[in-house]
Amino acid sequence: MTSQNVTLHPDGPYLLRRAVTRLLPHAALRVESHMRERMPATLVRLAHPADFGRAAVESVGGTPTWWRAAKEREHHRRIARDAQGLTVPTAHGTVLVLLHIAAMRDRAQLHPTLVHELVHAVQMGRTATAADTLARNRHHLGLEHRSRRWLADHDEAIARDEDEAYRIEHLLTAA
């Protein structure tokens, strides 16, 4: 397997971009090999907290009301301060991985976070996972409606995916 589907966006701090460029091919290949699944077309971007919400809103492929979009951007900006990364599927069938610039300056966190988010990228390559994640995001933006039961089931699926990502991150980054 080769991971030629992963690219790094050219924006961001030079030294951090250079470090990610060195780690990205090896990390993607190890994640693909371990999971035995292909990496979907994935764009990795170095981002600030304000970029997380904007990416979540733009990824759904619709136009929410300005109020819903502003609430979603603010929610993601708040959680991005503590988050190290975010992975979202896009309506175009690709995956966007955002790495929080301030968190990635800690070089010890860079490789584990990259592996973790690439595991999520592979998960988003699963048709049902990507469709459900987009549906949840569209629900939060008021573009479609999902029942409380569906949302609860999806929260359980997110927890399973997060557990898988942490497990693989620990396996692949243990020294």
Side-chain angles (χ1 to χ4, degrees):
M1 284 186 206
T2 61
S3 58
Q4 298 167 351
N5 291 334
V6 183
T7 56
L8 178 63
H9 193 276
D11 290 342
Y14 173 76
L15 292 176
L16 186 55
R17 236 182 29 247
R18 196 170 79 178
V20 173
T21 299
R22 280 193 308 262
L23 292 173
L24 190 58
H26 179 67
L29 186 60
R30 289 196 64 197
V31 167
E32 280 185 333
S33 296
H34 182 82
M35 296 181 75
R36 294 188 177 105
E37 295 180 64
R38 295 263 316 138
M39 184 84 56
T42 303
L43 177 65
V44 177
R45 279 186 54 210
L46 300 171
H48 296 285
D51 298 328
F52 281 53
R54 191 174 314 118
V57 170
E58 291 172 359
S59 71
V60 299
T63 308
T65 64
W66 70 269
W67 176 248
R68 290 281 188 128
K71 277 179 55 176
E72 191 71 8
R73 285 191 303 268
E74 178 58 24
H75 166 74
H76 279 284
R77 186 185 62 75
R78 274 194 321 271
I79 65 171
R81 290 181 191 269
D82 298 325
Q84 296 173 342
L86 173 73
T87 302
V88 292
T90 68
H92 307 294
T94 61
V95 175
L96 177 62
V97 172
L98 300 176
L99 299 175
H100 188 186
I101 291 172
M104 294 304 99
R105 291 192 195 283
D106 176 4
R107 293 295 190 244
Q109 281 301 106
L110 181 57
H111 187 251
T113 302
L114 190 56
V115 167
H116 183 94
E117 296 305 327
L118 290 176
V119 169
H120 285 313
V122 170
Q123 292 167 341
M124 294 302 163
R126 300 169 186 158
T127 307
T129 303
D132 287 350
T133 302
L134 280 170
R136 185 202 64 221
N137 292 346
R138 292 177 64 78
H139 170 83
H140 288 307
L141 289 167
L143 298 173
E144 65 183 59
H145 177 73
R146 295 294 170 165
S147 69
R148 287 183 187 169
R149 181 68 198 155
W150 186 93
L151 291 168
D153 290 344
H154 185 66
D155 285 344
E156 290 174 12
I158 290 172
R160 284 190 303 273
D161 287 347
E162 197 64 36
D163 288 344
E164 178 184 32
Y166 277 116
R167 184 177 48 77
I168 294 171
E169 171 192 335
H170 292 301
L171 283 171
L172 297 182
T173 60

